[in-house]
């Protein structure tokens, strides 16, 4: 189905103008670069750094919860840990990682020489490190880091110390970066495709990013608006969310989740894209139901705008509202189910091999689907009223975000590392990384379902004695999961340093332009003459 | 190539305008939600309620506690003339609150009610309330104002106490109009 499989490798791009690349070297190369490959690399390393910072905070949380009682932290600091873990993972690790993939892969997959706005691309990236520094620095100001949860609900967020202001500025900057990045991505995809690459011939990864970028352009500004209102409530005497002043704190939740629910799809659609590239490659069959995948992705994106209040079932909505949001939420499971069906149908009777990218992709399908099911359970209003703010919700969103988004990121990283570096990664390290991650992930998060069902509240540093065993298990799992991720770092570094030389197309079943038309690694400037896609 | 660059710029401008519009949309959600709440009758704290059934349930008593708060900056005194009342569901009750302006300027204030437990608001019917309008006090002026209400007899049996709490805030300046 994918366009490139029909494209003849008419000319060899390996020798195209490699010589006119006279970029500065050393550190300045990275600061001034406008090259999509460099910027993609920067995003990916940034994301990896933030992933480990966020992971450290997570371990702070799990250490405190290893045993009942207060062990290491004051409850206030525990709240800072959960808040900052969430903010850093969402805005620092997952989102930038997908933008990194977009930067590297979109031009290569549609046969464009670079992103549409190369200079703006440099800006989009370099806004991130200052934002991250602001965010992390908030730990060191009086009153500490934001502690209102990653959802920074008013009225908590309108009352906290200066750390909250730093957090809000950081979010503003990251939001600006995301919007610029998205404008760039949409423009690149719509205007810079190689001749013959019609929309319906685009690889699915490109499709999912096109839709994600639109989502980002639509909802990041709404988040910016919400946190601006928090800021003016804090400092300029407005009363958007202040009940005593005629505002309404629940209003914040409405505005936040109008952003927040599409945001969770922003974090999963590119993952769907990656998995849709990897599965056909290692099943050696074209993707089953390409067109239905495109439509499913679009309908998920559209539906994501009308389900936000499933995060707010306990705020006292009228029954009609509860019913509407319950059914709308369940409706999303339909296109999601279509996707899972298509992936499985792609593997059906394929000649599959199980290299690391494929393992992560299959792991994704299994474990992500479990997260989808717990989502469906939470969508049932009367059930959610019991489970809201318990560990069941924590289990749900870690199944979709870690086993979903993160596994897809790993899958994509192993898949494209040979292309990016020109070396094969170590299959042994990759397999260990996969299996250990899979096992420890489930050891960590599966017990949380039981904890939630038994009523353990989230975001609390202490708990009743009957929750002790499962919590201890979860902490052991978290330690194992965290340490397993060092294997990924090792695999990446090893692959960059050297290793078996990667051919242009190391994967038998890969048929997109970056594999069929470019050597590994691709030249610094690729596709200066666009390939012709038939 | 010039063509691509131009159409890229055009598209960028469009997308940029969309994102600006969505920033505005975030703010527009506030009046939008307020309108929805008004139309659907959620959160109608500042409107007169209609009472359907005034049957007095003399077999039952409910204690109503009265509470008053001031937004920190408001230089007023604000208190209920009685701290609680023991009444029957369905019984028409009037209590008085008093406000006094301790400052040297005229100030307009608006009171916002809230209930504890929260969902008691469904059964707490205000027929008249000083919170239905804004109150303007001249320097040194004081005023006594009534709240007239009925507790509907549908109030769940397990609720024996309801707290009615008001917060007064200043209307002028940056304070938004209450909705
Ligand atoms: C079949 C699809 C899904 C359904 C039906 C669903 C449903 C829900 C519901 C009802 C909640 C609210 C639970 C509560 O707070 O009581 C929730 C929370 C959440 N979901 Fe999902 N979900 C789905 C997929 C996803 C995906 C794909 C992601 C992200 C990749 C995601 C991320 C989250 C997050 C982060 C929260 C918790 C937010 C918070 O309170 O901190 N969900 N989901
Ligand atoms: Cu949601």
């Amino acid at each position: 189905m994918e366009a490139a499989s029909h494209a003849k490798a008419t000319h060899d791009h390996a020798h195209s103008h490699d010589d006119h690349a006279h970029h500065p070297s050393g550190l300045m190369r990275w600061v001034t670069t406008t090259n999509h490959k460099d910027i993609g690399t920067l995003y990916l390393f940034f994301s990896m750094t933030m992933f480990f910072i966020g992971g450290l905070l997570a371990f702070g949380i799990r250490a405190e919860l290893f045993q009942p009682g207060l062990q290491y932290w004051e409850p206030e600091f525990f709240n800072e840990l959960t808040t900052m873990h969430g903010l850093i993972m969402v805005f620092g690790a997952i989102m930038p990682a997908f933008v990194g993939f977009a930067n590297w892969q979109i031009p290569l997959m549609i046969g464009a020489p670079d992103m549409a706005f190369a200079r703006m691309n440099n800006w989009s990236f370099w806004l991130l490190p200052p934002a991250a520094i602001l965010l992390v620095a908030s730990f060191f100001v009086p009153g500490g880091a934001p502690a209102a949860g990653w959802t920074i609900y008013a009225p908590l967020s309108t009352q906290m110390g200066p750390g909250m202001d730093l957090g809000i500025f950081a979010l503003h900057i990251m939001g600006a970066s995301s919007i610029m990045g998205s404008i760039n991505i949409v423009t690149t995809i719509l205007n810079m495709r190689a001749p013959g690459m019609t929309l319906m011939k685009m690889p699915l990864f490109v499709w999912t990013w096109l839709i994600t970028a639109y989502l980002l352009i639509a909802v990041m500004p709404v988040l910016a608006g919400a946190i601006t209102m928090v800021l003016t409530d804090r400092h300029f005497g407005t009363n958007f969310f202040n009940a005593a002043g005629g505002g309404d704190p629940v209003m914040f939740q409405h505005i936040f989740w109008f952003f927040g629910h599409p945001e969770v799809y922003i974090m999963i659609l590119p993952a769907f894209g990656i998995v849709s590239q990897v599965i056909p490659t290692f099943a050696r069959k074209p993707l089953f139901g390409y067109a239905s995948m495109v439509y499913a992705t679009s309908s998920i994106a559209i539906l994501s705008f009308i389900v936000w209040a499933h995060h707010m079932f306990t705020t006292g909505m009228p029954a009609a509202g509860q019913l509407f949001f319950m059914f709308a939420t369940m409706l999303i499971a339909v296109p999601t189910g279509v996707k899972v069906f298509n992936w499985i149908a792609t593997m059906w009777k394929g000649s599959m091999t199980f290299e690391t990218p494929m393992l992560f992709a299959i792991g994704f399908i299994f474990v992500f689907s479990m997260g989808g099911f717990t989502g469906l359970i939470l969508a049932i209003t009367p059930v959610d009223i019991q489970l809201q703010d318990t560990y069941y919700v924590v289990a749900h969103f870690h199944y979709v975000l870690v086993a979903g988004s993160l596994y897809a990121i790993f899958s994509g990283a192993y898949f494209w590392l040979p292309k990016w570096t020109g070396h094969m990664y170590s299959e042994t390290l990759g397999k260990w990384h996969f299996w250990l991650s899979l096992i420890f992930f489930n050891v960590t998060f599966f017990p949380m379902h039981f904890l939630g069902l038994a009523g353990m509240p989230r975001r609390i540093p202490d708990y009743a004695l009957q929750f002790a065993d499962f919590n201890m298990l979860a902490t052991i799992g978290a330690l194992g999961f965290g340490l397993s991720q060092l294997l990924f770092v090792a695999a990446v570094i090893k692959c960059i340093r050297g290793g078996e030389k990667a051919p242009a197309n190391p994967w038998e079943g890969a048929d997109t332009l970056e594999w069929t038309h470019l050597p590994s690694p691709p030249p610094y400037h690729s596709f200066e003459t666009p390939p012709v896609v038939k | 190539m010039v063509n691509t660059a131009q159409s890229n710029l055009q598209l960028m401008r469009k997308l940029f305008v969309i994102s600006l519009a969505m920033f505005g949309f975030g703010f527009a959600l506030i009046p939008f939600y307020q309108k929805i709440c008004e139309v659907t009758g959620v959160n109608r704290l500042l409107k007169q309620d209609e009472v359907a059934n005034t049957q007095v349930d003399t077999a039952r008593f409910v204690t109503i506690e009265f509470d008053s708060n001031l937004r920190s900056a408001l230089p007023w005194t604000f208190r209920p003339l009685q701290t609680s009342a023991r009444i029957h569901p369905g019984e028409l009750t009037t209590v008085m609150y008093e406000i006094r302006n301790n400052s040297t300027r005229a100030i307009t204030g608006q009171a916002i009610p809230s209930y504890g437990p929260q969902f008691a608001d469904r059964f707490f019917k205000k027929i008249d309330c000083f919170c239905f309008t804004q109150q303007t006090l001249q320097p040194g002026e004081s005023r006594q104002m009534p709240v007239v209400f009925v507790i509907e007899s549908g109030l769940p049996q397990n609720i024996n106490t309801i707290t009615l709490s008001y917060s007064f805030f200043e209307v002028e300046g940056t304070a938004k109009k209450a909705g």
Side-chain angles (χ1 to χ4, degrees):
Chain A
M1 182 52 68
E2 291 191 344
S5 60
H6 311 296
K8 268 188 284 163
T10 38
H11 32 229
D12 174 21
H13 282 267
H15 60 255
S16 69
H17 318 292
D18 218 346
D19 41 329
H20 81 201
H22 35 77
H23 34 270
S25 53
L27 190 63
M28 280 320 276
R29 161 182 171 189
W30 296 103
V31 176
T32 59
T33 184
T34 56
N35 181 288
H36 73 102
K37 303 184 182 80
D38 284 353
I39 293 176
T41 306
L42 286 171
Y43 266 108
L44 290 167
F45 275 112
F46 172 80
S47 153
M48 199 201 273
T49 312
M50 297 308 280
F51 175 62
F52 280 97
I53 296 177
L56 209 63
L57 301 181
F59 195 71
I61 298 170
R62 284 316 319 170
E64 179 60 57
L65 295 175
F66 185 59
Q67 289 182 330
L70 292 183
Q71 258 69 239
Y72 304 105
W73 322 121
E74 293 297 313
E76 292 79 6
F77 185 69
F78 183 86
N79 290 346
E80 292 173 31
L81 287 177
T82 54
T83 305
M84 294 293 284
H85 164 70
L87 288 174
I88 287 178
M89 285 305 194
V90 168
F91 294 100
I94 301 283
M95 292 172 68
F98 283 130
V99 183
F101 277 102
N103 266 289
W104 254 105
Q105 285 309 124
I106 289 176
L108 296 188
M109 293 174 108
I110 63 173
D114 204 311
M115 298 295 280
F117 307 106
R119 177 64 48 199
M120 184 164 86
N121 207 13
N122 171 287
W123 270 97
S124 312
F125 174 75
W126 281 108
L127 283 177
L128 288 181
I133 290 169
L134 271 183
L135 195 58
V136 175
S138 66
F139 272 117
F140 305 102
V141 299
W150 80 277
T151 52
I152 49 172
Y153 277 4
L156 276 179
S157 56
T158 51
Q159 293 170 8
M160 281 173 180
M164 183 57 77
D165 297 316
L166 292 185
I168 288 175
F169 289 139
L171 284 183
H172 269 136
I173 299 174
M174 289 175 170
S177 155
S178 279
I179 292 170
M180 284 158 64
S182 303
I183 291 180
N184 216 336
I185 287 169
V186 171
T187 311
T188 308
I189 297 177
L190 290 186
N191 285 0
M192 304 200 27
R193 297 189 310 277
M197 170 81 67
T198 59
L199 283 177
M200 288 311 273
K201 280 188 182 171
M202 291 195 311
L204 217 80
F205 176 72
V206 181
W207 255 116
T208 52
W209 244 116
L210 178 64
I211 293 166
T212 304
Y214 270 118
L215 277 181
L216 276 165
I217 293 170
V219 301
M220 282 314 278
V222 176
L223 173 69
I227 57 181
T228 305
M229 289 182 236
V230 171
L231 204 64
T232 57
D233 269 14
R234 289 164 60 79
H235 298 295
F236 303 108
T238 57
N239 289 305
F240 289 108
F241 308 125
N242 187 340
D248 187 346
V250 177
M251 187 83 78
F252 179 84
Q253 298 187 26
H254 277 294
I255 303 174
F256 180 86
W257 286 115
F258 185 86
F259 148 82
H261 188 82
E263 165 70 14
V264 308
Y265 284 97
I266 285 165
M267 293 189 283
I268 202 67
L269 293 183
F272 288 169
I274 291 175
V275 170
S276 302
Q277 300 302 134
V278 170
I279 298 270
T281 300
F282 294 92
R284 293 168 180 76
K285 270 177 66 193
L287 185 68
F288 183 88
Y290 171 91
S292 68
M293 284 297 217
V294 173
Y295 296 127
T297 312
S298 320
S299 30
I300 291 178
I302 291 165
L303 286 175
S304 74
F305 284 102
I306 56 161
V307 299
W308 75 90
H310 64 215
H311 297 274
M312 305 172 54
F313 282 141
T314 53
T315 52
M317 251 185 278
Q322 295 186 334
L323 284 171
F324 172 80
F325 286 109
M326 167 165 127
F327 289 125
T329 303
M330 290 180 164
L331 205 57
I332 292 204
V334 176
T336 313
V338 168
K339 289 187 150 283
V340 173
F341 177 85
N342 285 346
W343 291 320
I344 294 174
T346 306
M347 292 190 282
W348 186 256
K349 293 193 174 163
S351 39
M352 286 202 279
T353 51
F354 298 94
E355 288 87 346
T356 309
M358 184 64 161
L359 288 177
F360 270 107
I362 297 176
F364 169 99
I365 297 180
F366 272 93
V367 192
F368 167 81
S369 298
M370 290 175 60
F373 283 127
T374 53
L376 268 176
I377 291 170
L378 289 170
I380 306 167
T381 311
V383 178
D384 182 72
I385 286 171
Q386 295 294 314
L387 295 178
Q388 160 102 77
D389 271 332
T390 67
Y391 261 82
Y392 195 87
V393 178
V394 178
H396 159 65
F397 67 74
H398 283 89
Y399 267 76
V400 283
L401 277 172
V402 178
S405 311
L406 187 64
Y407 275 22
I409 289 169
F410 288 145
S411 172
Y414 286 111
F415 184 51
W416 280 303
L417 265 174
K419 177 55 62 185
W420 298 338
T421 63
H423 305 290
M424 296 308 285
Y425 61 87
S426 155
E427 208 48 74
T428 320
L429 275 176
K431 290 219 162 85
W432 273 100
H433 176 217
F434 170 73
W435 286 108
L436 290 178
S437 295
L438 184 74
I439 293 167
F440 282 122
F441 169 81
N442 283 292
V443 172
T444 312
F445 293 104
F446 202 74
M448 291 186 188
H449 292 111
F450 303 130
L451 288 172
L453 288 169
M456 177 170 162
R458 65 191 279 209
R459 295 171 169 160
I460 306 281
D462 189 6
Y463 49 82
L465 289 182
Q466 68 267 32
F467 302 136
D469 293 347
F470 279 139
N471 270 296
M472 187 173 279
L473 193 62
T475 298
I476 294 169
L479 183 61
F481 187 83
L483 293 177
S484 310
Q485 303 319 308
L486 297 175
L487 291 177
F488 179 63
V489 182
V492 171
I493 292 177
K494 202 162 164 233
C495 185
I496 294 173
R497 285 261 191 83
E500 190 196 327
K501 190 97 197 59
N505 186 358
W507 315 122
E508 227 175 25
D511 58 4
T512 41
L513 292 177
E514 81 274 30
W515 306 112
T516 55
H517 283 60
L518 294 172
S520 304
Y524 194 64
H525 296 285
S526 44
F527 290 139
E528 296 199 304
T529 358
V532 177
V533 181
K534 286 218 197 99
Chain B
M1 231 22 215
V2 179
N3 261 333
T4 321
Q6 271 171 353
S7 64
N8 283 357
L9 270 178
Q10 260 172 9
L11 187 55
M12 167 157 88
R13 250 175 251 132
K14 271 187 215 148
L15 295 170
F16 190 67
V17 169
I18 296 181
S19 69
L20 273 185
M22 288 308 291
F23 185 70
F25 178 79
F27 286 83
L29 281 176
I30 297 244
F32 177 70
Y33 282 136
Q34 277 171 351
K35 199 81 212 159
I36 291 197
C37 288
E38 210 179 291
V39 172
T40 57
V42 182
N43 235 1
R44 44 196 307 285
L45 292 169
L46 303 182
K47 298 259 161 50
Q48 184 177 9
D49 293 307
E50 279 155 30
V51 183
N53 182 0
T54 48
Q55 194 80 44
V56 180
D57 180 358
T58 47
R60 192 174 163 202
F61 280 103
V62 181
T63 304
I64 314 294
E65 295 174 337
F66 304 102
D67 179 41
S68 61
N69 303 283
L70 288 168
R71 189 98 197 279
S72 45
L74 188 60
W76 286 7
T77 317
F78 174 40
R79 64 188 183 96
L81 295 188
Q82 63 192 91
T83 53
S84 69
R86 228 166 104 76
I87 59 168
H88 299 296
E91 183 183 347
L92 193 69
T93 311
T94 305
V95 284
M96 301 300 286
Y97 272 81
E98 187 180 74
I99 44 175
R100 173 189 299 280
N101 184 352
N102 303 322
S103 76
T104 52
R105 60 191 172 99
I107 297 178
T108 303
Q110 166 75 54
I112 304 280
S114 66
Y115 307 94
Q118 198 190 357
F119 74 94
D121 69 345
R122 257 179 272 162
F123 307 98
F124 202 111
K125 302 292 179 187
K126 299 191 295 304
I127 289 143
D128 190 12
C129 176
F130 54 87
C131 61
F132 293 165
T133 53
Q134 297 181 347
Q135 306 288 336
T136 305
L137 288 185
Q138 297 309 316
E141 186 186 348
S142 82
R143 177 178 306 157
Q144 294 192 349
M145 314 164 299
V147 187
V148 182
F149 64 90
V150 172
I151 303 295
E152 280 196 337
S153 37
L155 186 74
Q157 289 295 336
N158 61 342
I159 298 185
N160 299 314
T161 308
I162 299 176
T163 306
L164 169 65
S165 171
Y166 286 102
S167 298
F168 248 111
F169 70 95
E170 188 173 345
V171 172
E172 280 106 335
T174 49
K176 281 188 328 116
K177 246 193 111 201

